[in-house]
Structure formats: C-alpha cells, structure tokens
Amino acid sequence: MTEAILLVGGRGTRLRPLTVHTPKPMVPAAGVPFLTHQLARARAAGVEHIVLATSYLAEVFEPYFGDGSSLGLHLEYVTEEEPLGTGGAIRNVASRLRSGPDDPVLIFNGDILTGLDIPALVATHETTGADVSLHLTRVEDPRAFGLVPTDSTGRVTAFLEKPQTPEEIVTDQINAGAYVFRRSVIDTIPAGRPVSVERETFPDLLATGAHLQGMVDSTYWLDLGTPQAFVRGSADLVLGRAPSPAVPGRCGDRLVLPTATVAPDAKLTGGTVVGEGARIGEGARITGSTVLAGAVVEPGAVVTDSFVGVGARIGERTILTGAVIGDGAVVGPDNELREGVRVWCDARIPAGALRFSSDQ
C-alpha cells in the first residue's frame, strides 16, 4: 500500500471559534497543525502518495505542506467547489489515485487522533479479501456513535445509527474513521453529488453482498470534534499517551516552542503547549492547555484545560477552566471563565467583568 486519501474538507463548526480563521486539520496540536501528525503516521506506515480532499479554507493547506517532500511524501490537493460529504469527497479525488483496481487505498478522516496499527488494518484487508475494511474501536457508551456489529470472523453484519434505547445497543463497536478500500470500489460511489460513506456507501455495499471487514483496534482513539477533546488530544500527544513521530520535542509535562518566553517561576504541567513568540508571566500556572503563537498569559493567571488562540491575551489573575479563547481576543485581569465558555476572536472582556464566584 503506497497511497491514501485524507478527508480534510470539514468546516469544524463544533470547534468554533478555533476554526474561524483555520480549517480544523490545521489547528495546532502539540505544536504543529494536527494534520502533520496524521501525515507523519501514514508515512511511518509506508504510505508515499496522499491526496488531500479539501473544501473549507482550502487555500491554507498547500502553502504550508507544499508537495510533501519535507515529510517524505508526495502530496496532491483536490478542492470541492461544494461540500460533497465523506463519500463524495472520496469519489471526487479518485482520478488522482495511481493504484490498480484491486490495490488497497487507505482513507482517513481528518479529525481523528489514533494509535491505529495501520499495517495491521491493511494486512487484515488483504488476508480476508475484503472490498472495504474498517477500523473499529470499542467505547464504554456507544449512544453517540453509529454501531458496527460483526460476526465471529470480523465480517461486518450491519450499520446501525445512533441507538436510542438499551435494546438497540447490540455492540460496543463503533466506526473509528479509518478505512482500506479496494480501489475499484471507490469508482462505484456516485460522482458529482453529496454522499455519506457512513450512511449511504457502506450500507449499500452491504446490501449488495460486498465483503466489509472490521478490525477492532482498541489503542488510543479520540474524535477531536469539540474544543475540549482537541485540548485533551494535544496534551496527550505531549505527554506521550497518543503516538506521533511529529511532536517537535521530547514527550513530557510541557512543550515550549522556540522564541516563546516563560517566566522562571511559572508552572507548566499536564501536557501544556506554549507556541512560538508566546509569553507566560510570573507566577502563572498552566495545566493541560494550549497557548498558541504570540499569545500572552499575564502574571498570576491560572489556565486549566483551555485553548488560548493566536495573539490572545489573558489578564493578570484571570482564571480559565475548560475555556476557549479565540484569536486576538483580550480577557482582562481578574476574570473567571469556567467550563464550556467560548470567547470569540478579537472580543474584549474588561477587567473583572465575568466571574463564577465572589471576587473576594
């Protein structure tokens, strides 16, 4: 297997304001755009040629990655004029593939952080003679996912939409967002219209007797669809819990990129990342958080499990917990922002304007 398709066209609406100026796969995780980790893991598994299916803010990908040679890859870019869904995006880039009809093509969703054994998925595909092979993972609560039951040989028997009752939960196996397609199967996807591979392509293939094989791999897996998940994924990469050859530094409690400045008595823990040119003031405490390039965290601020955007400023003694601060936003001193709050890009919050507890 030498080529793959990466689906990177999503608008990332659940991640806003992180994705106001940046497409979801280009949001930094552990110091580099998240897509870098996926490309590096694919290359480590032997992939050489990758086609990126782009749509939202498509113009930012190629200037950053170019032809892929710096990663040892050959990259191509195909932009959808109108969003085509997962299946439509796969079909839309088919002309750029070089594989023969029976060759395997690896396909990744662009928002999944995983420790998947890619060669094992390809080997499963080839030894079973499957038309499509799916990476499956097990989750404790599958109600938010589509279920994928399999028989004793791992062959997929059904695709079940999000279960609503306990009786509908017939398995804890879910679609984990990585596939191997027989090249000829891609050409059967309808062209020129939106197609969901999960809701249309896979059920239709199953109905026509195609062989869909599941491989359960329960290593690290995280859907980075929400800000809280994205912050956690970045921290797990820094801590070494999630594997990636692209982390720009040694795994540990913190990752401070070149040109960032951190006060000697500031405390950075839990997989915190401080981007280039960012400044962390005296006595600041930052845990499990991402502070992007050029941002400023002033003295005495406490930032936990939060995301601070490019060029944002967090005032003295301000407390952030589970917060997302958009690019260029300013949160004045002595504010307290708690779980789930999203401060939009370039917003201004005056000193002491928002609190969840007394200011005394």
Side-chain angles (χ1 to χ4, degrees), residues 27-67:
V27 176
V32 296
F34 173 67
L35 180 56
T36 311
H37 300 290
Q38 291 188 305
L39 293 173
R41 293 200 74 246
R43 182 67 191 94
V47 176
E48 298 172 355
H49 176 223
I50 298 181
V51 185
L52 274 65
T54 68
S55 179
Y56 177 63
L57 296 176
E59 65 276 7
V60 308
F61 292 95
E62 190 167 3
Y64 187 91
F65 290 107
D67 63 3

PDB file of all heavy atoms in Angstrom, residues 27-67:
ATOM      1  N   VAL A  27      -5.537  23.323  12.812  1.00  0.00           N
ATOM      2  CA  VAL A  27      -5.450  23.841  14.180  1.00  0.00           C
ATOM      3  C   VAL A  27      -4.284  23.135  14.885  1.00  0.00           C
ATOM      4  O   VAL A  27      -4.171  21.909  14.826  1.00  0.00           O
ATOM      5  CB  VAL A  27      -6.761  23.612  14.945  1.00  0.00           C
ATOM      6  CG1 VAL A  27      -6.629  24.054  16.404  1.00  0.00           C
ATOM      7  CG2 VAL A  27      -7.909  24.362  14.270  1.00  0.00           C
ATOM      8  N   PRO A  28      -3.391  23.868  15.541  1.00  0.00           N
ATOM      9  CA  PRO A  28      -2.215  23.241  16.136  1.00  0.00           C
ATOM     10  C   PRO A  28      -2.558  22.286  17.274  1.00  0.00           C
ATOM     11  O   PRO A  28      -3.380  22.582  18.137  1.00  0.00           O
ATOM     12  CB  PRO A  28      -1.402  24.430  16.661  1.00  0.00           C
ATOM     13  CG  PRO A  28      -1.829  25.581  15.818  1.00  0.00           C
ATOM     14  CD  PRO A  28      -3.301  25.348  15.580  1.00  0.00           C
ATOM     15  N   ALA A  29      -1.897  21.140  17.248  1.00  0.00           N
ATOM     16  CA  ALA A  29      -1.954  20.155  18.330  1.00  0.00           C
ATOM     17  C   ALA A  29      -0.519  19.743  18.630  1.00  0.00           C
ATOM     18  O   ALA A  29       0.210  19.322  17.731  1.00  0.00           O
ATOM     19  CB  ALA A  29      -2.783  18.935  17.928  1.00  0.00           C
ATOM     20  N   ALA A  30      -0.104  19.906  19.859  1.00  0.00           N
ATOM     21  CA  ALA A  30       1.276  19.593  20.245  1.00  0.00           C
ATOM     22  C   ALA A  30       2.274  20.324  19.352  1.00  0.00           C
ATOM     23  O   ALA A  30       3.270  19.754  18.902  1.00  0.00           O
ATOM     24  CB  ALA A  30       1.530  18.087  20.224  1.00  0.00           C
ATOM     25  N   GLY A  31       1.987  21.586  19.070  1.00  0.00           N
ATOM     26  CA  GLY A  31       2.963  22.441  18.433  1.00  0.00           C
ATOM     27  C   GLY A  31       2.975  22.485  16.925  1.00  0.00           C
ATOM     28  O   GLY A  31       3.677  23.304  16.335  1.00  0.00           O
ATOM     29  N   VAL A  32       2.217  21.617  16.260  1.00  0.00           N
ATOM     30  CA  VAL A  32       2.153  21.610  14.796  1.00  0.00           C
ATOM     31  C   VAL A  32       0.708  21.417  14.370  1.00  0.00           C
ATOM     32  O   VAL A  32      -0.117  20.919  15.155  1.00  0.00           O
ATOM     33  CB  VAL A  32       3.039  20.493  14.190  1.00  0.00           C
ATOM     34  CG1 VAL A  32       4.504  20.724  14.498  1.00  0.00           C
ATOM     35  CG2 VAL A  32       2.584  19.114  14.677  1.00  0.00           C
ATOM     36  N   PRO A  33       0.339  21.797  13.129  1.00  0.00           N
ATOM     37  CA  PRO A  33      -1.026  21.519  12.687  1.00  0.00           C
ATOM     38  C   PRO A  33      -1.373  20.045  12.880  1.00  0.00           C
ATOM     39  O   PRO A  33      -0.549  19.166  12.614  1.00  0.00           O
ATOM     40  CB  PRO A  33      -0.974  21.883  11.195  1.00  0.00           C
ATOM     41  CG  PRO A  33       0.082  22.922  11.104  1.00  0.00           C
ATOM     42  CD  PRO A  33       1.127  22.503  12.098  1.00  0.00           C
ATOM     43  N   PHE A  34      -2.589  19.785  13.353  1.00  0.00           N
ATOM     44  CA  PHE A  34      -2.974  18.397  13.637  1.00  0.00           C
ATOM     45  C   PHE A  34      -2.729  17.480  12.447  1.00  0.00           C
ATOM     46  O   PHE A  34      -2.298  16.332  12.609  1.00  0.00           O
ATOM     47  CB  PHE A  34      -4.451  18.329  14.049  1.00  0.00           C
ATOM     48  CG  PHE A  34      -4.928  16.909  14.191  1.00  0.00           C
ATOM     49  CD1 PHE A  34      -4.423  16.106  15.188  1.00  0.00           C
ATOM     50  CD2 PHE A  34      -5.838  16.366  13.294  1.00  0.00           C
ATOM     51  CE1 PHE A  34      -4.823  14.777  15.311  1.00  0.00           C
ATOM     52  CE2 PHE A  34      -6.244  15.051  13.400  1.00  0.00           C
ATOM     53  CZ  PHE A  34      -5.735  14.247  14.420  1.00  0.00           C
ATOM     54  N   LEU A  35      -2.966  17.978  11.238  1.00  0.00           N
ATOM     55  CA  LEU A  35      -2.769  17.171  10.044  1.00  0.00           C
ATOM     56  C   LEU A  35      -1.352  16.623   9.952  1.00  0.00           C
ATOM     57  O   LEU A  35      -1.130  15.538   9.404  1.00  0.00           O
ATOM     58  CB  LEU A  35      -3.098  18.017   8.813  1.00  0.00           C
ATOM     59  CG  LEU A  35      -2.958  17.376   7.434  1.00  0.00           C
ATOM     60  CD1 LEU A  35      -3.798  16.120   7.324  1.00  0.00           C
ATOM     61  CD2 LEU A  35      -3.349  18.379   6.351  1.00  0.00           C
ATOM     62  N   THR A  36      -0.377  17.347  10.489  1.00  0.00           N
ATOM     63  CA  THR A  36       1.013  16.891  10.448  1.00  0.00           C
ATOM     64  C   THR A  36       1.169  15.533  11.115  1.00  0.00           C
ATOM     65  O   THR A  36       1.924  14.677  10.643  1.00  0.00           O
ATOM     66  CB  THR A  36       1.933  17.912  11.139  1.00  0.00           C
ATOM     67  OG1 THR A  36       1.659  19.212  10.642  1.00  0.00           O
ATOM     68  CG2 THR A  36       3.397  17.578  10.925  1.00  0.00           C
ATOM     69  N   HIS A  37       0.469  15.329  12.222  1.00  0.00           N
ATOM     70  CA  HIS A  37       0.559  14.047  12.926  1.00  0.00           C
ATOM     71  C   HIS A  37       0.002  12.915  12.064  1.00  0.00           C
ATOM     72  O   HIS A  37       0.581  11.816  11.999  1.00  0.00           O
ATOM     73  CB  HIS A  37      -0.190  14.129  14.255  1.00  0.00           C
ATOM     74  CG  HIS A  37       0.332  15.172  15.182  1.00  0.00           C
ATOM     75  ND1 HIS A  37       1.554  15.066  15.818  1.00  0.00           N
ATOM     76  CD2 HIS A  37      -0.180  16.372  15.566  1.00  0.00           C
ATOM     77  CE1 HIS A  37       1.761  16.139  16.561  1.00  0.00           C
ATOM     78  NE2 HIS A  37       0.717  16.942  16.432  1.00  0.00           N
ATOM     79  N   GLN A  38      -1.111  13.162  11.386  1.00  0.00           N
ATOM     80  CA  GLN A  38      -1.689  12.125  10.533  1.00  0.00           C
ATOM     81  C   GLN A  38      -0.775  11.801   9.355  1.00  0.00           C
ATOM     82  O   GLN A  38      -0.580  10.627   9.013  1.00  0.00           O
ATOM     83  CB  GLN A  38      -3.062  12.569  10.032  1.00  0.00           C
ATOM     84  CG  GLN A  38      -4.120  12.622  11.124  1.00  0.00           C
ATOM     85  CD  GLN A  38      -5.494  12.879  10.547  1.00  0.00           C
ATOM     86  OE1 GLN A  38      -5.679  13.855   9.830  1.00  0.00           O
ATOM     87  NE2 GLN A  38      -6.446  12.025  10.840  1.00  0.00           N
ATOM     88  N   LEU A  39      -0.226  12.826   8.739  1.00  0.00           N
ATOM     89  CA  LEU A  39       0.677  12.596   7.606  1.00  0.00           C
ATOM     90  C   LEU A  39       1.921  11.827   8.051  1.00  0.00           C
ATOM     91  O   LEU A  39       2.364  10.901   7.360  1.00  0.00           O
ATOM     92  CB  LEU A  39       1.081  13.936   6.988  1.00  0.00           C
ATOM     93  CG  LEU A  39      -0.032  14.732   6.302  1.00  0.00           C
ATOM     94  CD1 LEU A  39       0.475  16.112   5.899  1.00  0.00           C
ATOM     95  CD2 LEU A  39      -0.572  13.988   5.081  1.00  0.00           C
ATOM     96  N   ALA A  40       2.460  12.191   9.194  1.00  0.00           N
ATOM     97  CA  ALA A  40       3.677  11.532   9.667  1.00  0.00           C
ATOM     98  C   ALA A  40       3.420  10.069  10.009  1.00  0.00           C
ATOM     99  O   ALA A  40       4.252   9.192   9.727  1.00  0.00           O
ATOM    100  CB  ALA A  40       4.236  12.273  10.879  1.00  0.00           C
ATOM    101  N   ARG A  41       2.273   9.776  10.594  1.00  0.00           N
ATOM    102  CA  ARG A  41       1.962   8.379  10.939  1.00  0.00           C
ATOM    103  C   ARG A  41       1.712   7.561   9.672  1.00  0.00           C
ATOM    104  O   ARG A  41       2.089   6.392   9.595  1.00  0.00           O
ATOM    105  CB  ARG A  41       0.756   8.301  11.875  1.00  0.00           C
ATOM    106  CG  ARG A  41       1.033   8.881  13.253  1.00  0.00           C
ATOM    107  CD  ARG A  41       0.053   8.376  14.299  1.00  0.00           C
ATOM    108  NE  ARG A  41       0.348   6.999  14.645  1.00  0.00           N
ATOM    109  CZ  ARG A  41      -0.435   5.967  14.394  1.00  0.00           C
ATOM    110  NH1 ARG A  41      -1.582   6.142  13.762  1.00  0.00           N
ATOM    111  NH2 ARG A  41      -0.096   4.751  14.752  1.00  0.00           N
ATOM    112  N   ALA A  42       1.064   8.161   8.685  1.00  0.00           N
ATOM    113  CA  ALA A  42       0.861   7.449   7.420  1.00  0.00           C
ATOM    114  C   ALA A  42       2.203   7.147   6.760  1.00  0.00           C
ATOM    115  O   ALA A  42       2.425   6.037   6.258  1.00  0.00           O
ATOM    116  CB  ALA A  42      -0.025   8.274   6.494  1.00  0.00           C
ATOM    117  N   ARG A  43       3.097   8.134   6.759  1.00  0.00           N
ATOM    118  CA  ARG A  43       4.408   7.907   6.158  1.00  0.00           C
ATOM    119  C   ARG A  43       5.160   6.811   6.891  1.00  0.00           C
ATOM    120  O   ARG A  43       5.822   5.957   6.266  1.00  0.00           O
ATOM    121  CB  ARG A  43       5.227   9.211   6.179  1.00  0.00           C
ATOM    122  CG  ARG A  43       6.606   9.064   5.528  1.00  0.00           C
ATOM    123  CD  ARG A  43       6.454   8.820   4.034  1.00  0.00           C
ATOM    124  NE  ARG A  43       7.693   8.421   3.396  1.00  0.00           N
ATOM    125  CZ  ARG A  43       8.072   7.167   3.180  1.00  0.00           C
ATOM    126  NH1 ARG A  43       7.310   6.156   3.596  1.00  0.00           N
ATOM    127  NH2 ARG A  43       9.193   6.892   2.569  1.00  0.00           N
ATOM    128  N   ALA A  44       5.081   6.792   8.218  1.00  0.00           N
ATOM    129  CA  ALA A  44       5.761   5.765   9.003  1.00  0.00           C
ATOM    130  C   ALA A  44       5.226   4.367   8.697  1.00  0.00           C
ATOM    131  O   ALA A  44       5.937   3.372   8.876  1.00  0.00           O
ATOM    132  CB  ALA A  44       5.623   6.069  10.492  1.00  0.00           C
ATOM    133  N   ALA A  45       3.970   4.301   8.233  1.00  0.00           N
ATOM    134  CA  ALA A  45       3.361   3.013   7.891  1.00  0.00           C
ATOM    135  C   ALA A  45       3.642   2.595   6.448  1.00  0.00           C
ATOM    136  O   ALA A  45       3.152   1.553   6.006  1.00  0.00           O
ATOM    137  CB  ALA A  45       1.854   3.074   8.125  1.00  0.00           C
ATOM    138  N   GLY A  46       4.394   3.411   5.704  1.00  0.00           N
ATOM    139  CA  GLY A  46       4.764   3.037   4.349  1.00  0.00           C
ATOM    140  C   GLY A  46       4.020   3.750   3.247  1.00  0.00           C
ATOM    141  O   GLY A  46       4.259   3.495   2.062  1.00  0.00           O
ATOM    142  N   VAL A  47       3.097   4.648   3.606  1.00  0.00           N
ATOM    143  CA  VAL A  47       2.366   5.402   2.589  1.00  0.00           C
ATOM    144  C   VAL A  47       3.307   6.431   1.959  1.00  0.00           C
ATOM    145  O   VAL A  47       4.083   7.091   2.660  1.00  0.00           O
ATOM    146  CB  VAL A  47       1.142   6.105   3.210  1.00  0.00           C
ATOM    147  CG1 VAL A  47       0.443   6.975   2.182  1.00  0.00           C
ATOM    148  CG2 VAL A  47       0.180   5.072   3.776  1.00  0.00           C
ATOM    149  N   GLU A  48       3.223   6.582   0.644  1.00  0.00           N
ATOM    150  CA  GLU A  48       4.096   7.518  -0.061  1.00  0.00           C
ATOM    151  C   GLU A  48       3.330   8.630  -0.770  1.00  0.00           C
ATOM    152  O   GLU A  48       3.838   9.744  -0.921  1.00  0.00           O
ATOM    153  CB  GLU A  48       4.952   6.768  -1.090  1.00  0.00           C
ATOM    154  CG  GLU A  48       5.878   5.742  -0.465  1.00  0.00           C
ATOM    155  CD  GLU A  48       6.575   4.890  -1.506  1.00  0.00           C
ATOM    156  OE1 GLU A  48       6.253   5.051  -2.708  1.00  0.00           O
ATOM    157  OE2 GLU A  48       7.417   4.059  -1.124  1.00  0.00           O
ATOM    158  N   HIS A  49       2.121   8.343  -1.215  1.00  0.00           N
ATOM    159  CA  HIS A  49       1.338   9.298  -2.006  1.00  0.00           C
ATOM    160  C   HIS A  49       0.015   9.543  -1.283  1.00  0.00           C
ATOM    161  O   HIS A  49      -0.725   8.595  -0.985  1.00  0.00           O
ATOM    162  CB  HIS A  49       1.076   8.727  -3.407  1.00  0.00           C
ATOM    163  CG  HIS A  49       0.201   9.592  -4.259  1.00  0.00           C
ATOM    164  ND1 HIS A  49      -0.816   9.072  -5.052  1.00  0.00           N
ATOM    165  CD2 HIS A  49       0.163  10.934  -4.454  1.00  0.00           C
ATOM    166  CE1 HIS A  49      -1.418  10.056  -5.698  1.00  0.00           C
ATOM    167  NE2 HIS A  49      -0.844  11.197  -5.349  1.00  0.00           N
ATOM    168  N   ILE A  50      -0.294  10.802  -0.985  1.00  0.00           N
ATOM    169  CA  ILE A  50      -1.530  11.140  -0.278  1.00  0.00           C
ATOM    170  C   ILE A  50      -2.243  12.257  -1.030  1.00  0.00           C
ATOM    171  O   ILE A  50      -1.630  13.271  -1.390  1.00  0.00           O
ATOM    172  CB  ILE A  50      -1.254  11.582   1.176  1.00  0.00           C
ATOM    173  CG1 ILE A  50      -0.601  10.440   1.962  1.00  0.00           C
ATOM    174  CG2 ILE A  50      -2.549  12.015   1.861  1.00  0.00           C
ATOM    175  CD1 ILE A  50      -0.320  10.772   3.416  1.00  0.00           C
ATOM    176  N   VAL A  51      -3.542  12.051  -1.250  1.00  0.00           N
ATOM    177  CA  VAL A  51      -4.390  13.077  -1.853  1.00  0.00           C
ATOM    178  C   VAL A  51      -5.230  13.695  -0.744  1.00  0.00           C
ATOM    179  O   VAL A  51      -5.929  12.976  -0.020  1.00  0.00           O
ATOM    180  CB  VAL A  51      -5.289  12.496  -2.951  1.00  0.00           C
ATOM    181  CG1 VAL A  51      -6.072  13.616  -3.631  1.00  0.00           C
ATOM    182  CG2 VAL A  51      -4.472  11.715  -3.981  1.00  0.00           C
ATOM    183  N   LEU A  52      -5.147  15.011  -0.605  1.00  0.00           N
ATOM    184  CA  LEU A  52      -5.942  15.716   0.400  1.00  0.00           C
ATOM    185  C   LEU A  52      -7.215  16.231  -0.247  1.00  0.00           C
ATOM    186  O   LEU A  52      -7.165  16.993  -1.222  1.00  0.00           O
ATOM    187  CB  LEU A  52      -5.151  16.875   0.993  1.00  0.00           C
ATOM    188  CG  LEU A  52      -4.222  16.554   2.171  1.00  0.00           C
ATOM    189  CD1 LEU A  52      -3.090  15.637   1.748  1.00  0.00           C
ATOM    190  CD2 LEU A  52      -3.666  17.829   2.790  1.00  0.00           C
ATOM    191  N   ALA A  53      -8.353  15.797   0.288  1.00  0.00           N
ATOM    192  CA  ALA A  53      -9.659  16.260  -0.184  1.00  0.00           C
ATOM    193  C   ALA A  53     -10.042  17.468   0.643  1.00  0.00           C
ATOM    194  O   ALA A  53     -10.444  17.342   1.808  1.00  0.00           O
ATOM    195  CB  ALA A  53     -10.697  15.148  -0.051  1.00  0.00           C
ATOM    196  N   THR A  54      -9.910  18.671   0.061  1.00  0.00           N
ATOM    197  CA  THR A  54     -10.104  19.916   0.800  1.00  0.00           C
ATOM    198  C   THR A  54     -11.391  20.612   0.374  1.00  0.00           C
ATOM    199  O   THR A  54     -11.930  20.364  -0.696  1.00  0.00           O
ATOM    200  CB  THR A  54      -8.923  20.873   0.578  1.00  0.00           C
ATOM    201  OG1 THR A  54      -8.931  21.316  -0.786  1.00  0.00           O
ATOM    202  CG2 THR A  54      -7.595  20.193   0.869  1.00  0.00           C
ATOM    203  N   SER A  55     -11.867  21.509   1.228  1.00  0.00           N
ATOM    204  CA  SER A  55     -13.034  22.317   0.899  1.00  0.00           C
ATOM    205  C   SER A  55     -12.957  23.632   1.665  1.00  0.00           C
ATOM    206  O   SER A  55     -12.567  24.646   1.120  1.00  0.00           O
ATOM    207  CB  SER A  55     -14.329  21.562   1.218  1.00  0.00           C
ATOM    208  OG  SER A  55     -15.457  22.357   0.932  1.00  0.00           O
ATOM    209  N   TYR A  56     -13.267  23.611   2.963  1.00  0.00           N
ATOM    210  CA  TYR A  56     -13.284  24.826   3.783  1.00  0.00           C
ATOM    211  C   TYR A  56     -11.867  25.382   3.952  1.00  0.00           C
ATOM    212  O   TYR A  56     -10.951  24.661   4.363  1.00  0.00           O
ATOM    213  CB  TYR A  56     -13.910  24.507   5.136  1.00  0.00           C
ATOM    214  CG  TYR A  56     -13.923  25.645   6.124  1.00  0.00           C
ATOM    215  CD1 TYR A  56     -14.635  26.807   5.861  1.00  0.00           C
ATOM    216  CD2 TYR A  56     -13.237  25.549   7.323  1.00  0.00           C
ATOM    217  CE1 TYR A  56     -14.654  27.855   6.774  1.00  0.00           C
ATOM    218  CE2 TYR A  56     -13.257  26.580   8.251  1.00  0.00           C
ATOM    219  CZ  TYR A  56     -13.963  27.728   7.966  1.00  0.00           C
ATOM    220  OH  TYR A  56     -13.984  28.769   8.874  1.00  0.00           O
ATOM    221  N   LEU A  57     -11.683  26.662   3.632  1.00  0.00           N
ATOM    222  CA  LEU A  57     -10.377  27.320   3.728  1.00  0.00           C
ATOM    223  C   LEU A  57      -9.284  26.481   3.063  1.00  0.00           C
ATOM    224  O   LEU A  57      -8.165  26.336   3.567  1.00  0.00           O
ATOM    225  CB  LEU A  57     -10.016  27.606   5.195  1.00  0.00           C
ATOM    226  CG  LEU A  57     -10.951  28.590   5.921  1.00  0.00           C
ATOM    227  CD1 LEU A  57     -10.549  28.727   7.389  1.00  0.00           C
ATOM    228  CD2 LEU A  57     -10.922  29.971   5.253  1.00  0.00           C
ATOM    229  N   ALA A  58      -9.617  25.953   1.886  1.00  0.00           N
ATOM    230  CA  ALA A  58      -8.717  25.035   1.177  1.00  0.00           C
ATOM    231  C   ALA A  58      -7.379  25.670   0.848  1.00  0.00           C
ATOM    232  O   ALA A  58      -6.368  24.970   0.688  1.00  0.00           O
ATOM    233  CB  ALA A  58      -9.393  24.547  -0.103  1.00  0.00           C
ATOM    234  N   GLU A  59      -7.363  26.994   0.751  1.00  0.00           N
ATOM    235  CA  GLU A  59      -6.158  27.676   0.280  1.00  0.00           C
ATOM    236  C   GLU A  59      -5.008  27.636   1.267  1.00  0.00           C
ATOM    237  O   GLU A  59      -3.871  28.013   0.923  1.00  0.00           O
ATOM    238  CB  GLU A  59      -6.486  29.133  -0.059  1.00  0.00           C
ATOM    239  CG  GLU A  59      -6.902  29.997   1.115  1.00  0.00           C
ATOM    240  CD  GLU A  59      -8.379  29.905   1.477  1.00  0.00           C
ATOM    241  OE1 GLU A  59      -9.090  29.055   0.890  1.00  0.00           O
ATOM    242  OE2 GLU A  59      -8.824  30.673   2.348  1.00  0.00           O
ATOM    243  N   VAL A  60      -5.238  27.191   2.517  1.00  0.00           N
ATOM    244  CA  VAL A  60      -4.157  27.240   3.505  1.00  0.00           C
ATOM    245  C   VAL A  60      -3.301  25.978   3.533  1.00  0.00           C
ATOM    246  O   VAL A  60      -2.197  25.991   4.083  1.00  0.00           O
ATOM    247  CB  VAL A  60      -4.712  27.510   4.923  1.00  0.00           C
ATOM    248  CG1 VAL A  60      -5.609  28.727   4.935  1.00  0.00           C
ATOM    249  CG2 VAL A  60      -5.428  26.302   5.482  1.00  0.00           C
ATOM    250  N   PHE A  61      -3.767  24.888   2.948  1.00  0.00           N
ATOM    251  CA  PHE A  61      -3.056  23.620   3.074  1.00  0.00           C
ATOM    252  C   PHE A  61      -1.757  23.595   2.259  1.00  0.00           C
ATOM    253  O   PHE A  61      -0.676  23.291   2.791  1.00  0.00           O
ATOM    254  CB  PHE A  61      -3.958  22.455   2.651  1.00  0.00           C
ATOM    255  CG  PHE A  61      -5.100  22.207   3.576  1.00  0.00           C
ATOM    256  CD1 PHE A  61      -6.349  22.765   3.336  1.00  0.00           C
ATOM    257  CD2 PHE A  61      -4.943  21.413   4.700  1.00  0.00           C
ATOM    258  CE1 PHE A  61      -7.414  22.539   4.191  1.00  0.00           C
ATOM    259  CE2 PHE A  61      -6.000  21.181   5.573  1.00  0.00           C
ATOM    260  CZ  PHE A  61      -7.239  21.746   5.310  1.00  0.00           C
ATOM    261  N   GLU A  62      -1.853  23.881   0.976  1.00  0.00           N
ATOM    262  CA  GLU A  62      -0.683  23.729   0.111  1.00  0.00           C
ATOM    263  C   GLU A  62       0.445  24.689   0.454  1.00  0.00           C
ATOM    264  O   GLU A  62       1.626  24.281   0.431  1.00  0.00           O
ATOM    265  CB  GLU A  62      -1.090  23.863  -1.354  1.00  0.00           C
ATOM    266  CG  GLU A  62       0.029  23.478  -2.311  1.00  0.00           C
ATOM    267  CD  GLU A  62      -0.444  23.316  -3.740  1.00  0.00           C
ATOM    268  OE1 GLU A  62      -1.652  23.553  -4.015  1.00  0.00           O
ATOM    269  OE2 GLU A  62       0.390  22.935  -4.582  1.00  0.00           O
ATOM    270  N   PRO A  63       0.166  25.963   0.795  1.00  0.00           N
ATOM    271  CA  PRO A  63       1.286  26.819   1.183  1.00  0.00           C
ATOM    272  C   PRO A  63       2.070  26.291   2.378  1.00  0.00           C
ATOM    273  O   PRO A  63       3.271  26.551   2.499  1.00  0.00           O
ATOM    274  CB  PRO A  63       0.601  28.157   1.515  1.00  0.00           C
ATOM    275  CG  PRO A  63      -0.636  28.153   0.681  1.00  0.00           C
ATOM    276  CD  PRO A  63      -1.093  26.726   0.683  1.00  0.00           C
ATOM    277  N   TYR A  64       1.419  25.544   3.262  1.00  0.00           N
ATOM    278  CA  TYR A  64       2.106  25.023   4.446  1.00  0.00           C
ATOM    279  C   TYR A  64       2.873  23.732   4.127  1.00  0.00           C
ATOM    280  O   TYR A  64       4.046  23.595   4.468  1.00  0.00           O
ATOM    281  CB  TYR A  64       1.113  24.769   5.582  1.00  0.00           C
ATOM    282  CG  TYR A  64       1.796  24.401   6.884  1.00  0.00           C
ATOM    283  CD1 TYR A  64       2.150  25.387   7.802  1.00  0.00           C
ATOM    284  CD2 TYR A  64       2.108  23.077   7.189  1.00  0.00           C
ATOM    285  CE1 TYR A  64       2.794  25.062   8.993  1.00  0.00           C
ATOM    286  CE2 TYR A  64       2.759  22.742   8.368  1.00  0.00           C
ATOM    287  CZ  TYR A  64       3.102  23.736   9.264  1.00  0.00           C
ATOM    288  OH  TYR A  64       3.756  23.407  10.428  1.00  0.00           O
ATOM    289  N   PHE A  65       2.218  22.781   3.467  1.00  0.00           N
ATOM    290  CA  PHE A  65       2.826  21.468   3.258  1.00  0.00           C
ATOM    291  C   PHE A  65       3.512  21.316   1.901  1.00  0.00           C
ATOM    292  O   PHE A  65       4.316  20.403   1.723  1.00  0.00           O
ATOM    293  CB  PHE A  65       1.768  20.364   3.410  1.00  0.00           C
ATOM    294  CG  PHE A  65       1.279  20.185   4.818  1.00  0.00           C
ATOM    295  CD1 PHE A  65       0.016  20.610   5.189  1.00  0.00           C
ATOM    296  CD2 PHE A  65       2.084  19.602   5.787  1.00  0.00           C
ATOM    297  CE1 PHE A  65      -0.442  20.457   6.494  1.00  0.00           C
ATOM    298  CE2 PHE A  65       1.645  19.432   7.089  1.00  0.00           C
ATOM    299  CZ  PHE A  65       0.379  19.871   7.444  1.00  0.00           C
ATOM    300  N   GLY A  66       3.175  22.188   0.949  1.00  0.00           N
ATOM    301  CA  GLY A  66       3.783  22.085  -0.372  1.00  0.00           C
ATOM    302  C   GLY A  66       3.557  20.728  -1.008  1.00  0.00           C
ATOM    303  O   GLY A  66       2.470  20.158  -0.917  1.00  0.00           O
ATOM    304  N   ASP A  67       4.605  20.190  -1.635  1.00  0.00           N
ATOM    305  CA  ASP A  67       4.469  18.885  -2.291  1.00  0.00           C
ATOM    306  C   ASP A  67       4.668  17.722  -1.334  1.00  0.00           C
ATOM    307  O   ASP A  67       4.621  16.563  -1.741  1.00  0.00           O
ATOM    308  CB  ASP A  67       5.437  18.768  -3.475  1.00  0.00           C
ATOM    309  CG  ASP A  67       6.904  18.843  -3.040  1.00  0.00           C
ATOM    310  OD1 ASP A  67       7.182  18.925  -1.824  1.00  0.00           O
ATOM    311  OD2 ASP A  67       7.775  18.824  -3.937  1.00  0.00           O
TER     312      ASP A  67
END
